[in-house]
Amino acid sequence: MGNTAKMKAAIIDLCTNLWFENGNELAKTNDPLRFASKKLRCDRALFDEYTEYLAKCGINALILNVGDALRYETHPELAVEGALSIDEMKKEIERLKSLGFEVIPMLELSTAHDEWLRDYSHMIATPPYYKVCADIIREICEIFEPKYMHIGMADESADYQMEYEYMAVRHNELWWHDLYFFLDRVQGEGVTAIVYGDRTWGRSEEFIKGMPTTAVIANRYDGHLDPEKLSCYETLAKDTYRQLPAYVGAPNAQNLSMLDEYVKKVIPDEKLLGCILIADAVCDPSRREELFAAADSIKGI
Amino acid sequence: MKNDKMMWATLAHLGYNMWGDENHRYIRNTLSHLSTQIMRVDKKYWVEYTNYMASLGLNTLIIDVGEALRYESHPELALIDSWSREEMEKEIDRLHSIGFTEVIPKLNFGAGHDTWLKIYDHMLSSSVYKQVTADLIHEACDVFKAKHLHLGMDEEHYRFQNENRRGLAIVRQGNGWWRDLYHLVDCVEKENARAWVWSDPIWYNPEEFVRKMPKSVIQCNWYYGSEFENPQNTGLDHDDRTYLECFELLDKHGYYQVPTGSNCYGAEENMVDLTKYCQKHVSNEHLLGFMDAPWSAARKSSKERQFRSADHLAEAKLWYETNTK
C-alpha cells in the first residue's frame, strides 16, 4: 500500500479456543494449538517481541482476537486461566498504541470459531446467547474505545465443522438475523464493524442484498488462485462496500504482492481501507518462525 | 427357547414436532414435517386406532410423547392443546384396560428430531439442556410408571437438518454424541427404567458402537425394505445389506433388541418378513419383541396405512408364535 493513510493490520489471536474441543478425537490434525485449552496460550515475551517486529514491518494496526483472553466484568465465567484483567488489557492497549498501532478488538462470533464462549456456544440464537454477546460487545467497546471492531463470522458451514464434536450452523435468515443483532450492538457503540466476507462466496447476490454497506468487509485470500474468491473483491467494490482484504500470510509472500496489485486495481481507492494480515498462528514459541515469516511477507505491500 | 413375554409393539405419535422447524422466516422451502403450534392428534380416531391394535392382540404401545404432554416441570414446552398429566394418566389407564400390558414413553432427543424441545433444541449438551432433559425423563417415567423409555437418538446427521428443514443445524459428533447419550441413559436408569435407542449409529461406525454402547440399552435397529435375501450373496444394495447385517451384529455382541419394521415406504410385507428374518438371525435370548412404526400422525387420514400396519404386526405375531419353539 503506497498510501501511508491506509491501514496495514495484523491479527493476533490472544484467544486460541477457536477450533476443536478439548479432547476431541475426531480431529485429524495433530496441532495441539487447535484444541481448546483452559489456559491462556499467549507467550508474553514473544507477544512483546512480535508486536515490536510488526511495528518495524510497517504494520500500523493490531486486531486483537480477544475472546476468552479477557476477564470480563459482565461474564467472568468465560475467562481462561491467565486471562488479562480489564486493567491489564487497558495497559496493554496503551503500550501498543505507544508503538504506533491502532488497536482493534475482535470477537469471533461464527459458530465455527466460538469454543471460547463455553456453555453459550451451545445456546446459539437463544436469550442467554444474545445477552452474553451483547454484554461482551459493550464491554469490549468500553475498554478499547475503538473505531473498528472485528466480529469474525467466518467458516460457518457444515463442511468446516465435520470434525467438531458439536456442529452448529445457522442457515438463511437466522444467520442474517444474528449478524444484524451483532452489527446493531457494535454500531450502537458508535463503532464500525468488520466482517469476514466468506458468506459472499457462491452467493454474492444474497450477500449484497443482505449486508449493510456500513460494515467493512474482509474478504480472505489464502494464496490459492480461486477465481470466485478473487472476483468477490470486485463484486463487493461495485456494490460500494468498504473493504479490508485479508491476506493469509507466510508461505504465500509472492501471491500477496500479486493480490495486493489486484485489489488496488479492482477496488476504488476510497473504498480500500487497507489490508489485514492473517498470520494464522498464535503467540506460542513453537510458532515463532511462522509468525515472523508472516510479518516479513507483508513488508513489500 | 421362545420368549413368552415378547413385546408386539407399535410406535404411535401423540407428539409430532420432531422434524423441521415451524414454517417461519428461517425456512425458505415448504416441508411436510414442519412443526406446528397445535397437536396433530384426532382424539376420536386415536381411541379407534388403539382399540383396533388391542383387538389384534398387540400388547405394547410406544407413545412418542414429545410436546403432547403438558410437563409440570416445563410447561413452556406445551402446545395450547397438550394433554395435562391427568389426561395422559387417564389415557394410559385406558390403554392398559383394553389389553396393552405396557405403555412406553418415547422422547426423541436426537438433534434432528427435537423441535418439540422448542428453545432447548438450540442448547444441546449445555448445562441447561442436561437439567431440562433430566426433568423431562423423570416426569415421563413418573406419569407412565415406565419400565422402559425410548430415547430416540436417531439420524443425527447434517443432512436431516439442512437449510430446508432447520434454521439452526446442530449435530453432536464423536464423543459429543456419546456424552449426551450417557447422560440421558443415566437419567432413565435413575428412574429404575431401561433405556431404548434407535440403532442407526451402528450402521456408520460399528466398531465404535460396540465399544461404547452400554449393553443395558435396548436396541431398535430398523429395516423398512422388501428384500431379505442372504445379504452376503445377493443383489441387495449396500445400505440395505448393512441394515440387515446389523441385526446379527447386535446379537453377536450381546445387545437386547426390538427389531423394527414399517410399511411407510410401501413394503407391505416388510413386518412379516422382518420377523422371519430376525427369528432366524437373532437369538431368542436377545430378542425382546418387534416394533412396527407406521410413521404417521394419529389422524383419520392415516387410518388405512396404520390399520394395515397393525394387521401386518398381528400377522407377524401369529407367524412367530406358530413357528418358534
Side-chain angles (χ1 to χ4, degrees):
Chain A
M1 305 276 160
N3 185 343
T4 52
K6 301 286 187 196
M7 184 190 297
K8 275 176 81 172
I11 293 181
I12 298 181
D13 291 329
L14 295 179
C15 165
T16 60
N17 291 335
L18 301 168
W19 300 281
F20 298 111
E21 302 87 351
N22 184 21
N24 179 317
E25 294 173 0
L26 296 171
K28 292 188 179 76
T29 179
N30 294 321
D31 180 354
L33 297 176
R34 287 268 161 174
F35 294 84
S37 165
K38 290 178 182 172
K39 294 182 179 176
L40 187 70
R41 285 187 291 204
C42 183
D43 182 85
R44 180 73 230 193
L46 179 59
F47 179 79
D48 288 349
E49 186 186 354
Y50 182 50
T51 50
E52 284 166 20
Y53 190 73
L54 286 172
K56 285 178 193 160
C57 292
I59 294 288
N60 58 18
L62 282 185
I63 299 175
L64 297 183
N65 194 352
V66 180
D68 53 14
L70 174 65
R71 194 169 298 280
Y72 300 93
E73 197 176 316
T74 51
H75 292 281
E77 70 274 20
L78 294 178
V80 286
E81 228 179 290
L84 276 65
S85 67
I86 291 169
D87 284 344
E88 287 170 324
M89 184 63 84
K90 283 181 174 172
K91 275 184 198 157
E92 189 53 39
I93 294 165
E94 287 312 310
R95 184 187 76 84
L96 294 170
K97 283 181 178 172
S98 74
L99 291 174
F101 294 118
E102 176 176 359
V103 184
I104 298 171
M106 176 178 181
L107 293 176
E108 177 47 279
L109 295 169
S110 161
T111 58
H113 299 299
D114 64 353
E115 185 62 14
W116 60 274
L117 275 170
R118 298 193 176 203
D119 217 22
Y120 303 108
S121 72
H122 290 202
M123 297 185 183
I124 303 298
T126 66
Y129 175 79
Y130 291 126
K131 184 174 186 322
V132 74
C133 291
D135 288 346
I136 61 177
I137 287 172
R138 183 172 44 77
E139 199 170 338
I140 284 276
C141 288
E142 279 174 13
I143 294 167
F144 281 75
E145 298 177 353
K147 183 177 174 192
Y148 297 100
M149 177 171 170
H150 197 326
I151 59 171
M153 301 299 279
D155 302 316
E156 189 159 327
S157 68
D159 286 346
Y160 193 89
Q161 299 177 62
M162 287 311 289
E163 294 171 20
Y164 284 14
E165 287 185 347
Y166 194 85
M167 173 200 288
V169 184
R170 287 170 288 211
H171 294 133
N172 303 326
E173 278 75 1
L174 182 59
W175 188 88
W176 288 103
H177 171 275
D178 282 9
L179 175 80
Y180 295 151
F181 179 85
F182 303 142
L183 290 180
D184 195 44
R185 294 304 173 286
V186 172
Q187 291 168 0
E189 299 293 328
V191 175
T192 298
I194 302 170
V195 184
Y196 277 129
D198 42 318
R199 192 80 182 178
T200 196
W201 300 340
R203 46 177 136 185
S204 57
E205 199 178 321
E206 175 195 328
F207 186 91
I208 286 160
K209 188 177 162 200
M211 183 64 74
T213 52
T214 50
V216 173
I217 310 303
N219 189 34
R220 287 176 298 158
Y221 176 73
D222 60 5
H224 300 99
L225 285 170
D226 181 335
E228 186 179 345
K229 290 177 186 174
L230 278 177
S231 71
C232 286
Y233 291 111
E234 196 169 356
T235 308
L236 293 168
K238 279 182 189 157
D239 281 278
T240 74
Y241 290 99
R242 291 174 295 164
Q243 296 191 60
L244 277 168
Y247 307 161
V248 180
N252 306 303
Q254 193 181 351
N255 281 344
L256 291 191
S257 301
M258 288 163 63
L259 177 68
D260 189 52
E261 283 175 30
Y262 174 79
V263 298
K264 281 175 184 163
K265 203 183 299 172
V266 299
I267 303 174
D269 187 62
E270 71 275 16
K271 298 295 178 191
L272 184 61
L273 302 189
C275 66
I276 297 174
L277 171 68
I278 303 176
D280 216 15
V282 299
C283 279
D284 182 270
S286 66
R287 299 304 155 91
R288 181 189 174 85
E289 201 175 317
E290 287 166 64
L291 285 167
F292 283 83
D296 287 337
S297 72
I298 208 159
K299 274 181 184 166
I301 291 174
Chain B
M1 187 187 293
K2 180 168 71 175
N3 175 4
D4 290 330
K5 292 184 179 173
M6 286 281 282
M7 286 189 261
W8 296 96
T10 295
L11 175 64
H13 285 84
L14 287 178
Y16 212 64
N17 287 346
M18 309 281 167
W19 293 277
D21 287 345
E22 281 180 40
N23 189 12
H24 56 52
R25 61 203 168 109
Y26 301 146
I27 302 297
R28 289 180 180 171
N29 298 336
T30 57
L31 187 83
S32 61
H33 280 143
L34 293 173
S35 292
T36 61
Q37 295 184 16
I38 54 168
M39 284 174 68
R40 279 170 283 190
V41 176
D42 173 345
K43 187 72 188 289
K44 194 174 160 196
Y45 170 70
W46 169 261
V47 172
E48 181 188 356
Y49 177 38
T50 50
N51 283 345
Y52 183 70
M53 288 189 277
S55 75
L56 296 173
L58 306 181
N59 61 13
T60 306
L61 194 64
I62 296 168
I63 297 181
D64 217 330
V65 182
E67 75 282 6
L69 174 63
R70 187 174 299 277
Y71 302 92
E72 288 175 0
S73 58
H74 291 283
E76 69 276 19
L77 295 181
L79 307 182
I80 50 172
D81 53 351
S82 295
W83 295 1
S84 68
R85 180 187 176 111
E86 289 70 28
E87 286 172 301
M88 188 66 81
E89 285 175 337
K90 202 171 156 193
E91 180 57 21
I92 294 164
D93 285 345
R94 187 191 71 81
L95 292 167
H96 283 306
S97 76
I98 62 174
F100 288 107
T101 53
E102 194 170 355
V103 181
I104 297 170
K106 175 171 181 260
L107 300 176
N108 198 331
F109 292 109
H113 300 307
D114 64 352
T115 49
W116 63 276
L117 281 171
K118 294 191 175 177
I119 192 171
Y120 306 113
D121 86 340
H122 284 201
M123 295 189 177
L124 308 196
S125 313
S126 70
S127 51
V128 175
Y129 178 80
K130 283 178 180 150
Q131 184 59 55
V132 171
T133 50
D135 294 343
L136 298 177
I137 288 170
H138 169 71
E139 196 166 342
C141 286
D142 194 33
V143 170
F144 280 76
K145 306 287 180 286
K147 288 185 282 186
H148 299 95
L149 189 144
H150 197 314
L151 294 166
M153 297 298 279
D154 52 321
E155 297 182 324
E156 192 148 328
H157 302 283
Y158 178 73
R159 66 178 178 276
F160 294 106
Q161 299 181 59
N162 63 30
E163 62 184 357
N164 295 330
R165 291 176 179 240
R166 293 286 184 103
L168 175 66
I170 296 175
V171 183
R172 292 164 294 196
Q173 306 182 116
N175 285 331
W177 187 86
W178 288 103
R179 269 194 296 274
D180 274 7
L181 177 80
Y182 293 150
H183 159 74
L184 296 167
V185 169
D186 192 44
C187 290
V188 175
E189 292 179 349
K190 276 182 183 155
E191 302 297 328
N192 294 315
R194 193 164 179 187
W196 288 28
V197 292
W198 295 116
S199 308
D200 50 306
I202 199 173
W203 300 346
Y204 307 104
N205 196 338
E207 185 272 326
E208 179 190 51
F209 186 96
V210 299
R211 188 160 37 90
K212 293 184 175 176
M213 179 63 76
K215 297 288 190 300
S216 62
V217 178
I218 295 172
Q219 298 300 314
C220 267
N221 186 33
W222 77 87
Y223 177 66
Y224 302 159
S226 56
E227 300 293 325
F228 282 91
E229 294 169 77
N230 183 340
Q232 304 302 326
N233 57 14
T234 71
L236 279 173
D237 77 23
H238 175 266
D239 287 350
D240 284 351
R241 183 176 298 139
T242 300
Y243 308 154
L244 281 172
E245 284 175 347
C246 284
F247 290 112
E248 291 160 87
L249 188 62
L250 287 165
D251 187 57
K252 183 181 152 196
H253 288 277
Y255 291 99
Y256 290 90
Q257 293 189 61
V258 179
T260 302
S262 176
N263 64 348
C264 67
Y265 297 148
E268 295 295 339
E269 68 281 18
N270 166 273
M271 197 68 238
V272 173
D273 287 348
L274 178 72
T275 303
K276 291 176 181 174
Y277 181 89
C278 289
Q279 188 236 30
K280 189 173 168 189
H281 293 95
V282 179
S283 64
N284 285 343
E285 181 197 353
H286 293 136
L287 191 59
L288 299 182
F290 287 90
M291 192 205 295
D292 164 51
W295 293 115
S296 44
R299 285 175 151 173
K300 198 146 194 172
S301 56
S302 305
K303 179 174 177 176
E304 200 182 327
R305 183 203 283 186
Q306 290 172 343
F307 274 54
R308 270 203 324 269
S309 185
D311 289 341
H312 297 325
L313 185 61
E315 192 187 338
K317 177 174 181 282
L318 181 62
W319 181 92
Y320 182 85
E321 289 172 348
T322 307
N323 292 281
T324 309
K325 292 177 184 173

